[in-house]
Amino acid sequence: MSAGAVGRAHPRLEGPEKVTGTARYAVEYPLEDVTYGWAVPAAAVRGRITRIDPDPALAVPGVLAVLHHGNAPRLSPDVEAELYLLQEPAVHYRGQLVAVVVAESIEAAREGARQVRIDYDTEPHSTVLTADHPGLYRPEKVNPSFPTDTSEGDFDAAFDAAEVRVDATYRTPAYHNNPMEPHATTAQWRDGRLLVHDSNQGSTAVQAALAELFGIPRDSVRVISEHVGGGFGSKGYPKAAVVLASLAARQVDRPVRLALTRQQLFGPIGYRTPTIQRVRLGSDADGRISAICHDAISQTSTITEFAEQTAVYTRSMYAAPHRRTTHRLVRLDVPTPFWMRAPGECPGAYALESAMDELAAACGIDPIELRVRNEPTVDPDQGHPFSSRNLVACLIRGARRFGWGDRDPRPGARREGRWLVGTGVAGSSYPARARASAATATALPDGGYLVRINATDIGTGARTALWQIAADALDVPPERVTIRIGDSDLPPASVAGGSMGTASWSWALTRACQELRDRLGHHSGSLPPEGLTVAASTADEIRAQKPMARYAYGAHFVEVRVDAETGEVRVSRMLGVFAVGRVVNPTTARSQLIGGMTMGISMALHEEGLLDERYGDWVNHDFATYHITGCADVEQIEAEWVDEEDSDLNPTGVKGLGEIGIVGSAAAIANAVRHATGVRVRDLPIRLEKLAGSSSFT
């Protein structure tokens, strides 16, 4: 009999700590004899450091050391190139972190960093992504391990023969993750062992990387990340801050706190690559698609290849017998792109869902009906059956709730005073993955239970959801359960990313709790003082999963107002309806979905990394100039979900929902703007000059 905790709204367990300021983040743990680090970025785009003069910095009162490639502790060369910091004089991009100043106070460290003198021997550079860049090439795979290109049937012949054709190119700029808590670490060495309090999305991976970097056993490294103030993908793998702090702490033999500045988050820790995407759709007059092609171009650095899986979204979303997707990449003298909320699917959905809207207009068909007519029965990419697919249910429910049936399809048909009003829709999809994890469950003599897993709560409410799941698996009231997460000393778990955290961790916790219940059923007498503990791993079960197409789905509905004189865009209301399996905690689930949708508004209307190609750097690297959606921009936003049971996922039947909220949301806004004005904006963001300056503006 279930305790019934899953499915109930519950506030975050750590909520009181966070609102009272007692929750400790990476650089807030009290320590004696602590010092402060400040990273020094390179001022050259490409070249070599020929001289570093630390003397002016060392003359600043309180400065203890200046670490650089000439004096920093040595790291293992057989590691990820992004982590091989302060080891060589090469400069691969402007902003690369090339030195660290350590001081008794943060003020002294900052001033010392300003005083470090560095000379460079510079070389010509290339920093701008173009569709005809001579360096474009075909990578061997796209993130994380998808085939680069796919093809089925004869796209070219089918497209040429199609009654209706759409051939459009869409562009997205660079986007920057910018979590509230920056990349930050407190590192200390004790008797050859390294302890770090670090802001990351998975301390198991950080522990492994640090052990390899410093050539020490993994159990000599402990990484604690009890509270993390956001990540959006940028903290999904070890980054510069944890390496620099660990190097500095070893050098000065004292604890070192190091937090990157807001400006330093624009580059060295990753960002979403700009994209150039050509989408071609061919259909009959009734909108049934016969040919679909998605060609994506993106950039990477000269250090590490990261190929955004932009066109992968198109492989499984809509039916078509003739299909092709391609990815091309160019190495530029820029920082390495990395994961950002829904990597690949987010920009890919903007292009495909915009093209679907263009096809609906060309066919004279309602855009919801167009999507329904092209609903596949099996995964178009692999041919596997879907574990569940409720895209149509989301579209139908959302249309009814939004009032879509009253829509006049003519662009510019609705006007309220000086405002042109339009509505738009877009589909949404994101993989429902799970990765191997381990957990323990302990029955305590006092009647309580302790569950442990090295999961990471980056602000999603994961700690609370896992607590609810464990209570149900143990069949006890939640108040009797204590949960511990965020420490590499706990059983290893997968990263908090890819919308697979809760699915992966809950699987391991459920198995541990079920086995504990079974053991208790056969146990007689009192429990030992330390309690009765069982451990479980899901590695074998996950490997044994049968091939299926496992996805979450959603539908975005948007109403916008566009000022007929200035082109100013306002989002009047936004509704998202999703099919995300079993919802563990409605409170935190709704928060995650609305958060993703809000980031979609940001993507559509505000965000844009502006690169100065002369310096290979983003000129708008702070919140004064890199614009994001604020409260005033979100006039009315709602998220809900359809009831969905999927027995082919995991024991709890959950699908990830951290990322699907952003997938497709920018396209829905762009489609609504086109409906309001008659202007199709294919390069984000939708700024007023792109509308008011258009000859098609109503």
Side-chain angles (χ1 to χ4, degrees):
M1 179 178 177
S2 171
V6 171
R8 293 184 181 179
H10 197 285
R12 300 170 192 262
L13 295 178
E14 77 283 9
E17 295 177 70
K18 288 184 173 179
V19 299
T20 57
T22 57
R24 301 289 188 185
Y25 290 84
V27 292
E28 296 181 334
Y29 288 84
L31 285 173
E32 294 183 2
D33 207 27
V34 69
T35 64
Y36 298 85
W38 198 279
V40 180
V45 182
R46 178 181 178 185
R48 294 178 65 83
I49 297 171
T50 57
R51 185 180 74 98
I52 290 184
D53 181 7
D55 291 342
L58 292 169
V60 174
V63 170
L64 302 174
V66 178
L67 282 75
H68 51 83
H69 71 274
N71 67 356
R74 296 296 91 186
L75 298 172
S76 170
D78 301 321
V79 296
E80 169 67 41
E82 294 286 336
L83 304 181
Y84 197 60
L85 296 166
L86 309 189
Q87 304 297 298
E88 54 187 11
V91 174
H92 301 280
Y93 59 87
R94 185 181 175 94
Q96 182 178 345
L97 303 178
V98 295
V100 173
V101 174
V102 184
E104 298 279 2
S105 69
I106 194 169
E107 293 81 7
R110 179 176 58 193
E111 177 59 20
R114 194 178 69 85
Q115 295 292 342
V116 175
R117 300 291 180 257
I118 306 178
D119 295 333
Y120 306 90
D121 182 7
T122 61
E123 302 171 14
H125 61 265
S126 176
T127 58
V128 179
L129 178 68
T130 59
D132 58 354
H133 195 287
L136 283 170
Y137 70 97
R138 181 183 183 275
E140 291 187 5
K141 63 180 182 179
V142 294
N143 175 61
S145 57
F146 290 110
T148 302
D149 299 345
T150 59
S151 181
E152 183 176 346
D154 188 340
F155 166 78
D156 293 313
F159 184 73
D160 289 342
E163 294 179 75
V164 182
R165 292 190 292 265
V166 168
D167 185 346
T169 298
Y170 305 88
R171 289 176 168 83
T172 59
Y175 300 111
H176 300 272
N177 307 64
N178 273 305
M180 183 177 294
E181 180 193 21
H183 287 240
T185 304
T186 301
Q188 53 188 311
W189 291 85
R190 295 175 180 172
D191 301 322
R193 297 174 59 85
L194 175 60
L195 170 64
V196 297
H197 291 81
D198 183 56
S199 183
N200 62 62
Q201 292 177 228
S203 59
T204 298
V206 177
Q207 178 195 40
L210 291 174
E212 186 176 7
L213 280 166
F214 288 97
I216 58 179
R218 187 176 294 190
D219 60 9
S220 292
V221 180
R222 185 181 181 188
V223 182
I224 297 174
S225 51
E226 185 178 359
H227 298 290
V228 178
F232 309 118
S234 71
K235 299 175 184 176
Y237 189 76
K239 293 296 179 67
V242 69
V243 178
L244 295 178
S246 300
L247 280 169
R250 170 165 277 192
Q251 183 84 343
V252 301
D253 196 26
R254 289 172 60 180
V256 173
R257 299 193 198 282
L258 189 151
L260 298 185
T261 67
R262 181 62 56 186
Q263 290 76 16
Q264 290 169 344
L265 298 188
F266 285 77
I269 55 86
Y271 57 97
R272 197 192 301 281
T273 172
T275 69
I276 303 171
Q277 305 177 59
R278 183 185 182 190
V279 177
R280 285 171 283 176
L281 302 175
S283 77
D284 62 19
D286 292 328
R288 289 180 174 82
I289 300 172
S290 58
I292 184 168
C293 180
H294 192 162
D295 301 310
I297 296 173
S298 62
Q299 70 187 36
T300 190
S301 71
T302 60
I303 306 175
T304 303
E305 180 182 275
F306 179 84
E308 183 104 336
Q309 69 274 32
T310 312
V312 168
Y313 177 85
T314 297
R315 295 176 183 174
S316 297
M317 194 59 179
Y318 300 111
H322 304 279
R323 325 171 59 82
R324 186 167 72 213
T325 64
T326 69
H327 295 85
R328 296 297 178 264
L329 198 61
V330 62
R331 290 187 179 275
L332 299 176
D333 300 305
V334 295
T336 306
F338 196 59
W339 305 330
M340 183 171 174
R341 199 170 200 167
E345 281 80 5
C346 176
Y350 163 66
L352 178 62
E353 297 295 335
S354 295
M356 289 291 286
D357 199 68
E358 298 204 47
L359 180 63
C363 293
I365 297 172
D366 182 86
I368 293 178
E369 177 60 27
L370 177 72
R371 289 168 170 82
V372 173
R373 291 182 186 182
N374 291 285
E375 174 74 358
T377 56
V378 297
D379 178 15
D381 184 37
Q382 298 294 320
H384 298 315
F386 292 101
S387 65
S388 60
R389 182 178 167 102
N390 281 306
L391 173 62
V392 172
C394 293
L395 288 165
I396 293 174
R397 177 167 172 172
R400 183 172 61 250
R401 171 79 184 273
F402 191 76
W404 186 265
D406 298 330
R407 180 180 191 256
D408 186 329
R410 295 173 300 161
R414 181 179 169 192
R415 184 160 183 161
E416 298 176 358
R418 62 188 292 173
W419 296 97
L420 299 165
V421 182
T423 52
V425 66
S428 179
S429 173
Y430 197 80
R433 305 183 181 100
R435 294 291 182 267
S437 296
T440 63
T442 302
L444 302 171
D446 63 2
Y449 295 84
L450 174 64
V451 293
R452 291 172 286 196
I453 184 170
N454 190 23
T456 308
D457 191 331
I458 58 173
T460 59
R463 176 187 280 103
T464 308
L466 293 176
W467 172 72
Q468 293 174 268
I469 288 167
D472 275 13
L474 291 166
D475 195 19
V476 298
E479 294 75 18
R480 290 173 59 187
V481 179
T482 300
I483 183 166
R484 284 194 58 206
I485 65 170
D487 187 335
S488 64
D489 277 1
L490 300 173
S494 62
V495 69
S499 293
M500 60 187 177
T502 301
S504 304
W505 307 328
S506 66
W507 195 333
L509 273 184
T510 298
R511 291 296 183 243
C513 292
Q514 288 173 338
E515 186 174 342
L516 177 61
R517 286 183 63 189
D518 185 62
R519 291 275 299 276
L520 289 172
H522 295 86
H523 182 83
S524 59
S526 301
L527 293 175
E530 69 277 10
L532 178 64
T533 298
V534 299
S537 169
T538 60
D540 291 340
E541 280 188 276
I542 287 177
R543 277 194 296 267
Q545 276 192 306
K546 59 185 178 182
M548 297 192 80
R550 297 174 174 88
Y551 292 90
Y553 292 94
H556 294 279
F557 296 82
V558 174
E559 180 183 88
V560 301
R561 306 189 314 276
V562 183
D563 191 303
E565 297 179 14
T566 67
E568 174 190 352
V569 180
R570 292 285 184 179
V571 177
S572 305
R573 55 193 178 104
M574 190 172 190
L575 169 67
V577 179
F578 303 94
V580 289
R582 192 179 186 192
V583 173
V584 178
N585 186 339
T587 299
T588 54
R590 185 171 286 105
S591 176
Q592 282 296 291
L593 294 169
I594 287 176
M597 294 163 65
T598 303
M599 288 183 74
I601 298 174
S602 232
M603 175 182 176
L605 302 180
H606 304 298
E607 292 189 52
E608 179 180 22
L610 296 170
L611 188 83
D612 187 328
E613 61 183 288
R614 299 171 299 169
Y615 304 110
D617 199 6
W618 287 280
V619 297
N620 57 334
H621 52 200
D622 54 40
F623 282 155
T625 50
Y626 182 83
H627 297 156
I628 61 174
T629 293
C631 292
D633 298 307
V634 184
E635 298 183 16
Q636 181 181 330
I637 186 167
E638 297 176 277
E640 58 183 57
W641 43 86
V642 300
D643 292 331
E644 183 177 62
E645 293 187 9
D646 192 329
S647 59
D648 291 303
L649 292 172
N650 48 64
T652 51
V654 300
K655 296 178 177 179
L657 48 72
E659 289 164 289
I660 194 170
I662 195 175
V663 178
S665 52
I669 293 171
N671 295 341
V673 169
R674 190 265 172 188
H675 181 235
T677 65
V679 179
R680 171 66 63 180
V681 178
R682 299 189 181 95
D683 59 322
L684 295 181
I686 304 172
R687 293 197 300 259
L688 52 87
E689 70 271 15
K690 297 178 183 178
L691 296 173
S694 172
S695 58
S696 302
F697 193 65
T698 302

